[in-house]
């Protein structure tokens, strides 16, 4: 299709390899632009029913009510759907070739533009972002422009900066909210008020407020413990010894991470839960009454499916004396939902994204490697890899679902999924920056890093 080859895009740099300084400059420019756009409100907006879905805003790298209210949602949705279609071979695209990569990227951008238009219309017409009478088209147009800006900013980061814009926006949003929850000193009414957990901790000690002290302390400790636990779990891996076919006596270890499919499964589960609440809320606003999907009061689910998969911070309720046994049943539903769907999504993603044993065996053989003591045969290699990949997929999916849901129930700041996501994104960004810096210092390392 001609339209796929004529979509607007950010021009690639003329230089084959950009320096560390140029990449850092453009990354900081885009990061600053993101924060500026997140603080520009939509003109003509009457109310934002989406503002209570703070968790969904974190995952989408946005702030509802701003011009970038759509966030990275259209990009992620288009990428996920296209990845699954290609992985399941419903759409035949060979992403290993340059032409295939260009076709995949063009289709992804085209789908993203369609989802930007679709989501902008749905948000306004279903009163998630309710416009003033007569301003509906103007609000939709602003959302469309904001979505386009996010797409081009992501393109700039990919071609001129470090990593990807989607990861950068998510990490920036999480860091911004985490900092605010720790050190916020302005209350909802605009007056100076020590609402950040660190400030509450200090004022509680001074005022002798044991309950406030306990709430702030446990929130900080649980968040810190989860952060350290995820950093440690990132280092867990199974290593398969491989040898080079043409160079005897030399070999490498093929690493298989414990979180084999990364944080993606729990992102999908969190997005599923958040979207379920979002859809239930929009339908309730539209119909004027609650449905089996859920009913809401003051932004919180009080009935239906949305309630039973929601997380009530049990530790906080125990400290404040508001604990009810229904919260324990709700916690079981929350844990079951997160762990079960994390395993399901992890296994499904492994099978459809060329991370299964058969695909890995082909990659190893094409790299000129084999397992010492075994005949170089894809079927033998696949059977050996299956002993590791399937258990790692299931255990990793269950573990990451348990970590995220338990953190939510214990009251971690910004939520368990957000912390998991931030740690993994920052870890990858650190590796990218450290590698680029090392290459700039010693260009001879280019061959080693493949850059």
């Amino acid at each position: 299709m001609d339209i796929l080859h004529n979509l607007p895009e950010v021009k690639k740099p003329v230089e084959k390899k950009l320096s560390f300084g140029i990449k850092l400059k453009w990354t900081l420019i885009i990061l600053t632009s993101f924060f500026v756009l997140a603080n520009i409100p939509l003109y003509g907006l009457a109310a934002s029913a989406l503002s209570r879905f703070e968790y969904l805003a974190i995952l989408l790298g946005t702030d509802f009510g701003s011009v970038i209210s759509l966030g990275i949602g259209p990009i992620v949705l288009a990428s996920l759907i296209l990845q699954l279609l290609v992985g399941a071979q419903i759409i035949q695209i060979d992403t290993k070739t340059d032409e295939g990569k260009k076709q995949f990227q063009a289709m992804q951008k085209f789908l993203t533009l369609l989802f930007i238009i679709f989501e902008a219309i749905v948000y306004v017409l279903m009163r998630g972002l309710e416009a003033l009478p007569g301003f509906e088209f103007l609000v939709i147009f602003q959302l469309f422009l904001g979505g386009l800006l996010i797409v081009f900013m992501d393109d700039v980061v990919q071609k001129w900066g470090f990593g990807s814009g989607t990861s950068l926006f998510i990490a920036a949003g999480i860091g911004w909210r985490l900092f605010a929850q720790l050190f916020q000193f302005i209350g909802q009414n605009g007056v100076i008020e020590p609402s950040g957990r660190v400030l509450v901790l200090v004022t509680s000690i001074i005022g002798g407020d044991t309950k406030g002290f306990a709430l702030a302390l446990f929130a900080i400790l649980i968040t810190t413990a989860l952060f350290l636990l995820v950093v440690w779990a990132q280092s867990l891996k199974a290593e398969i010894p491989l040898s080079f076919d043409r160079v005897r006596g030399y070999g490498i270890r093929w690493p298989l991470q414990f979180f084999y499919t990364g944080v993606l499964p729990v992102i999908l589960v969190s997005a599923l839960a958040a979207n379920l609440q979002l859809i239930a809320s929009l339908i309730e606003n539209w119909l004027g009454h609650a449905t089996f999907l859920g009913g809401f009061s003051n932004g919180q689910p009080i009935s239906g499916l949305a309630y039973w998969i929601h997380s009530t911070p049990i530790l906080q309720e125990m400290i404040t004396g508001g604990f009810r046994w229904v919260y324990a049943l709700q916690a079981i539903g929350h844990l079951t939902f997160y762990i079960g769907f994390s395993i399901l999504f992890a296994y499904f993603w492994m099978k459809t994204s060329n991370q299964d044993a058969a695909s890995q065996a082909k990659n190893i053989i094409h790299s000129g490697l084999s397992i010492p003591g075994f005949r170089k045969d894809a079927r033998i290699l696949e059977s050996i890899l299956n002993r590791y990949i399937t258990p790692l997929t299931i255990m990793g999916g269950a573990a990451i679902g348990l970590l995220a849901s338990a953190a939510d129930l214990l009251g971690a700041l910004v939520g368990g999924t957000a912390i998991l996501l931030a740690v993994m994104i920052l870890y990858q960004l650190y590796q990218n920056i450290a590698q680029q810096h090392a290459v700039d210092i010693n260009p001879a390392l280019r061959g080693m890093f493949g850059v």
Side-chain angles (χ1 to χ4, degrees), residues 390-413:
T390 302
L392 282 174
T393 300
I394 294 173
M395 289 190 298
I400 207 166
L402 177 62
L403 281 172
S405 56
D408 291 339
L409 293 170
L410 293 175
L413 301 176

Side-chain angles (χ1 to χ4, degrees), residues 11 61 95 253:
K11 188 177 179 181
T95 55
R253 292 185 175 275

